[in-house]
Amino acid sequence: MSILQRIGNALGLRASEPAPLDTIPVDNRSVVLWTRPTTAVRIGAVYSAVSIIATAIEQLSIKVERAGQTTDTTPFIAKPDPDITRADWLHEITISLALRGNAYLRVYRDNAGLPTIARVLNPAHVQPWINPQTGRRMFTLADGRDYTTQDVQHLRLLKIPGEPAGLGPIQAAQHELTGYQELIHAGTSWVAESGSPSGILSTDQQLSKEQRKDLLASWNGVPAGRTRLLSNGLTYTANLISPKDAQFLESRRFSKTEILDLFGIPASLALGVDKGDSQTYSNVSQEWLGFVRFKLMRYVSEIEWALTELTPRGQRIRINLESLLRSDAETRMRIHAAAIEAGIYSTDYARELEHIPDTAAPKEPAHD
């Protein structure tokens, strides 16, 4: 702690030191397990869920609106961090929110106070806290200095009143995820450490101790997969544990479904639907629509808010979800045909919605 920070604490400017960056209090104890993203994403279902969310958001476009009308995108919005692409920038924010429930942008400004860079920080290197004297939100970064919201934009997934940090799905379900990892470990240990033989050699003949020893040595000396010759009336009975029993597949399958549900991922989107399940095109479309509107929107709205706060007053940032909400081509064409026939909009407007150039319009028949 710096001398200035000690003086500040002595004067009551801070109630207490922030909690260690890599611990989370759970049941009156500090838990490190799920605070590191590299630990959480080692679970296949978590990796899959987070990847789906990040991939969906990184491909979205951003537009600037003023008085409800789209205006030209500023260089800052086009590329908030000049060192990476905007897709990577969106990806890093989404990963931070999904794994930790928090994302932080270190904002750099020009002489006029306008933001020029908004760099995504590692959430493990940021400690949010609330100044007990002013009630303002503060952030301690890895350099040991304290920053205000002027320099750090804080995005939170689940906002709990009075809590400086947001809550993510991994932090909310630590016990369930820990149990899932223990289940995987138990299944692996069963195969490696149970001591159960892979098979049994038997015969109705009386064998001496030396004969038994030689037969076992001969059998075990042949590499797996090679052909073996059985003599002396020997028979071999496999004693393999089925994968279903060894890996507790039913329990793991149920836990995987719970994890996907925790992140709001439709089972059909994660290829988690059983072959026997009845999934129609309509059901899947509704699932995906609900996923976009009620799960992805939590991430999207946080990013929109953060960027809007960094733009001049009167402007608003919108993330275009059209590419995720669009139905299939055949359905869209039927909707356009019905709308044109009903006089709701013209063929030119339909081409604009589909990004079809005017040159693709049908030619007028030549008149004699």
Side-chain angles (χ1 to χ4, degrees):
M1 190 193 318
S2 67
I3 295 176
L4 291 177
Q5 287 174 316
R6 290 193 181 97
I7 294 174
N9 286 340
L11 295 176
L13 298 180
R14 179 186 245 165
S16 61
E17 279 297 299
L21 296 179
D22 290 322
T23 61
I24 289 181
V26 176
D27 296 339
N28 298 320
R29 59 191 176 91
S30 292
V31 175
V32 182
L33 182 60
W34 299 114
T35 60
R36 299 181 185 273
T38 53
T39 301
V41 296
R42 286 175 187 160
I43 293 181
V46 173
Y47 181 91
S48 177
V50 172
S51 296
I52 288 172
I53 296 172
T55 302
I57 291 180
E58 70 179 17
Q59 62 183 305
L60 301 178
S61 60
I62 300 176
K63 60 182 180 180
V64 182
E65 290 185 354
R66 179 183 289 274
Q69 300 295 320
T70 301
T71 64
D72 294 336
T73 301
T74 63
F76 169 70
I77 296 300
K79 200 172 185 182
D81 187 342
D83 292 338
I84 59 176
T85 65
R86 190 170 68 183
D88 287 345
W89 186 83
L90 289 171
H91 183 97
E92 290 183 1
I93 290 179
T94 305
I95 292 294
S96 298
L97 288 171
L99 292 181
R100 294 183 181 271
N102 298 273
Y104 303 92
L105 302 177
R106 175 66 175 95
V107 181
Y108 299 89
R109 301 176 184 270
D110 59 18
N111 294 332
L114 297 176
T116 57
I117 298 175
R119 185 154 290 146
V120 184
L121 299 176
N122 185 339
H125 299 162
V126 183
Q127 178 61 44
W129 56 284
I130 298 177
N131 189 311
Q133 301 298 322
T134 65
R136 294 190 63 186
R137 293 183 178 274
M138 304 290 293
F139 308 92
T140 302
L141 303 191
D143 59 9
R145 298 174 57 189
D146 293 337
Y147 296 84
T148 67
T149 53
Q150 180 74 5
D151 303 306
V152 176
Q153 278 287 338
H154 185 191
L155 293 75
R156 294 179 292 163
L157 200 59
L158 184 65
K159 303 173 183 179
I160 302 176
E163 292 291 334
L167 186 67
I170 290 176
Q171 290 71 36
Q174 281 195 59
H175 295 297
E176 290 86 344
L177 291 172
T178 302
Y180 182 71
Q181 191 178 52
E182 291 173 351
L183 182 65
I184 297 174
H185 178 70
T188 304
S189 300
W190 177 267
V191 175
E193 303 171 6
S194 66
S196 177
S198 60
I200 297 174
L201 286 172
S202 60
T203 179
D204 55 1
Q205 299 183 19
Q206 284 289 101
L207 300 177
S208 66
K209 182 177 180 180
E210 289 298 322
Q211 286 177 314
R212 292 197 299 270
K213 182 177 179 181
D214 291 342
L215 283 171
L216 286 175
S218 174
W219 180 271
N220 292 325
V222 178
R226 296 290 184 86
T227 302
R228 288 176 168 85
L229 178 64
L230 297 177
S231 60
N232 292 22
L234 286 174
T235 58
Y236 175 76
T237 304
N239 192 32
L240 296 175
I241 302 173
S242 69
K244 182 176 181 179
D245 292 333
Q247 296 294 334
F248 305 99
L249 290 184
E250 288 300 324
S251 297
R252 288 186 59 183
R253 173 175 168 270
F254 176 73
S255 297
K256 178 180 178 180
T257 302
E258 285 187 315
I259 292 174
L260 293 176
D261 183 62
L262 178 66
F263 285 91
I265 307 297
S268 55
L269 191 58
L271 301 180
V273 179
D274 288 344
K275 294 180 180 179
D277 290 346
S278 176
Q279 288 282 306
T280 65
Y281 172 80
S282 177
N283 291 342
V284 172
S285 297
Q286 289 300 314
E287 269 191 350
W288 292 11
L289 189 61
F291 169 64
V292 172
R293 288 179 174 173
F294 302 108
K295 297 300 180 180
L296 283 188
M297 275 304 300
R298 183 79 279 278
Y299 297 84
V300 168
S301 61
E302 277 298 293
I303 299 172
E304 287 180 336
W305 167 84
L307 287 177
T308 299
E309 288 289 306
L310 297 176
T311 57
R313 183 169 298 181
Q315 293 184 353
R316 177 163 184 161
I317 303 302
R318 294 283 193 183
I319 294 181
N320 189 6
L321 292 168
E322 180 186 349
S323 60
L324 297 179
L325 294 173
R326 285 163 63 91
S327 53
D328 64 281
E330 182 180 354
T331 302
R332 296 199 310 273
M333 291 304 109
R334 286 203 305 267
I335 294 173
H336 292 324
I340 293 170
E341 184 178 354
I344 298 175
Y345 54 72
S346 65
T347 55
D348 290 338
Y349 183 72
R351 281 197 296 271
E352 181 182 346
L353 292 177
E354 294 295 329
H355 306 289
I356 299 174
D358 292 339
T359 54
K363 303 296 183 182
E364 291 290 336
H367 296 285
D368 295 333

